């Protein structure tokens, strides 16, 4: 499925397609990027193991979390695992480029993935982060849901590898993404 453009108006159908595909393919884990919890909450009662990956603490403003503690507790009460950690495709390397200028290998990788859309980059990033955190099993296909700015507009079947072996990550199938981005 290709959406005409990127954006939050695609969130509901992206989640529906991801869940449908997970059931059809026997995929047991869905990893979803969620800054506010809204997208993640759409996965309630989906019958799959859901891992919610949030923006890193300090993403929008130093020392501040975008997602509030109450929402995190609500998601956990639904049986979701919630992870907040350093973004694997930016992290410390972004700090180096901001301080000294230039571009570095991990940022090049992130920009290359964005050639397929921001959501594809996010899907790779969050699935590797979830794997490194021990929240999804190694060597299994999962579905990762990401987006462009707000909401979700991309879902992929992916077999992530650890950050230390990130080039072993395999994007198996793009379920949906924006055509224009």
């Amino acid at each position: 499925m290709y959406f005409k453009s990127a954006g939050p108006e695609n969130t509901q159908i992206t989640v529906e397609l991801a869940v449908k595909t997970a059931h059809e393919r026997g995929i047991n884990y869905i990893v979803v990027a969620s800054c506010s919890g809204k997208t993640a909450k759409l996965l309630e009662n989906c019958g799959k193991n859901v891992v919610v990956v949030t923006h890193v603490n300090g993403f929008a403003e130093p020392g501040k979390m975008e997602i509030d503690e109450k929402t995190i507790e609500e998601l956990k009460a639904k049986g979701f695992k919630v992870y907040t950690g350093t973004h694997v495709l930016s992290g410390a390397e972004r700090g180096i480029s901001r301080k000294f200028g230039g571009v570095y290998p991990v940022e090049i990788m992130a920009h290359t993935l964005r050639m397929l859309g921001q959501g594809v980059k996010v899907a790779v990033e969050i699935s590797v982060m979830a794997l490194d955190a021990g929240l999804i099993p190694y060597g299994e296909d999962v579905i990762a849901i990401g987006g462009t700015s707000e909401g979700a507009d991309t879902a992929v079947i992916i077999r992530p590898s650890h950050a230390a072996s990130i080039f072993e990550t395999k994007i198996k199938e793009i379920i949906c993404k924006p055509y224009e981005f």
Side-chain angles (χ1 to χ4, degrees), residues 60-134:
E61 182 181 339
K64 302 283 185 182
M65 282 290 291
E66 286 178 88
I67 190 169
D68 60 71
E69 191 61 39
K70 180 183 175 201
T71 301
I72 291 172
E73 292 308 315
E74 288 173 8
L75 293 171
K76 288 179 178 178
K78 294 177 188 308
F80 297 170
K81 295 176 183 173
V82 181
Y83 179 72
T84 301
T86 301
H87 292 179
V88 75
L89 293 177
S90 59
E93 199 165 81
R94 184 169 292 157
I96 295 168
S97 66
R98 285 179 178 163
K99 178 77 173 173
F100 299 107
V103 65
Y104 296 86
V106 173
E107 289 180 301
I108 293 169
M109 183 186 309
H111 282 282
T112 302
L113 286 166
R114 283 187 190 103
M115 292 171 69
L116 294 167
Q118 176 69 13
V120 172
K121 190 279 293 185
V122 170
V124 170
E125 188 164 47
I126 64 173
S127 62
V128 171
M129 291 167 67
L131 180 63
D132 276 356

Side-chain angles (χ1 to χ4, degrees), residues 24-57:
E24 288 173 353
R25 306 287 178 83
I27 295 173
N28 296 313
Y29 288 84
I30 298 175
V31 183
V32 60
S34 194
C35 304
S36 68
K38 284 193 261 182
T39 301
K41 288 177 183 178
L42 296 174
L43 289 157
E44 185 176 11
N45 300 318
C46 73
K48 299 296 175 179
N49 299 297
V50 177
V51 177
V52 181
V53 179
T54 72
H55 270 161
V56 66
N57 184 35

